[in-house]
Amino acid sequence: HEKELVLPLLKALPQDQCVDTYGAPLLDSSALIHFSRLFIGNDSGLMHLSSALKTPTIALFGPSNEAIYGPFSLQVPSPHRTLRGEPFTGNVRQHISDTRNYMEALQVPPVWDVVKERWETLGKQ
């Protein structure tokens, strides 16, 4: 049901630069992430996979604590960045009665700034 939310983004991206792995085996996603120069995603299994594969990661956080659940790296400085729309409130588990969208406060401009910074840094490596 979430694919419908992503379709406008997939349609807006250059088709020769976008690979839709929705519903594909995890091994396919792993290979794509491993050979990617940058991963952008929410706090999810794929974000942790990206971190484990040492792919530079921009992790977007809602109600979970990025200090605990953020991408891990022994590299200094870390190739990963985390962003959230509002400060962590201690709400790690979202209850079914809580219909608030915890990602709503995360705006595009600060994410885009980090994407540009990471892309410029990665381009120099």
Side-chain angles (χ1 to χ4, degrees):
H1 67 282
E2 293 176 340
K3 184 166 184 170
E4 293 175 17
L5 299 171
V6 179
L7 284 176
L9 174 63
L10 292 174
K11 290 178 182 175
L13 294 170
Q15 295 303 300
D16 64 333
Q17 297 179 27
C18 181
V19 179
D20 179 6
T21 62
Y22 184 85
L26 187 57
L27 192 55
D28 293 357
S29 296
S30 299
L32 286 169
I33 291 169
H34 177 71
F35 290 106
S36 294
R37 293 183 60 201
L38 183 64
F39 174 90
I40 305 167
N42 65 320
D43 176 20
S44 64
L46 290 177
M47 183 273 300
H48 292 290
L49 179 61
S50 174
S51 175
L53 292 169
K54 300 181 181 175
T55 299
T57 301
I58 297 175
L60 310 175
F61 279 80
S64 56
N65 186 344
E66 72 272 18
I68 297 172
Y69 301 108
F72 175 79
S73 177
L74 291 175
Q75 286 181 256
V76 177
S78 173
H80 311 306
R81 300 291 182 271
T82 58
L83 289 159
R84 64 177 325 110
E86 33 187 74
F88 177 64
T89 62
N91 182 15
V92 177
R93 299 270 187 240
Q94 188 171 357
H95 299 283
I96 197 162
S97 62
D98 181 3
T99 58
R100 181 167 174 239
N101 178 351
Y102 284 86
M103 298 293 276
E104 200 168 73
L106 185 57
Q107 300 295 309
V108 171
V111 175
W112 182 242
D113 289 343
V114 173
V115 169
K116 288 189 298 187
E117 178 270 323
R118 291 282 59 218
W119 197 252
E120 289 170 8
T121 302
L122 294 167
K124 294 175 185 174
Q125 294 176 350

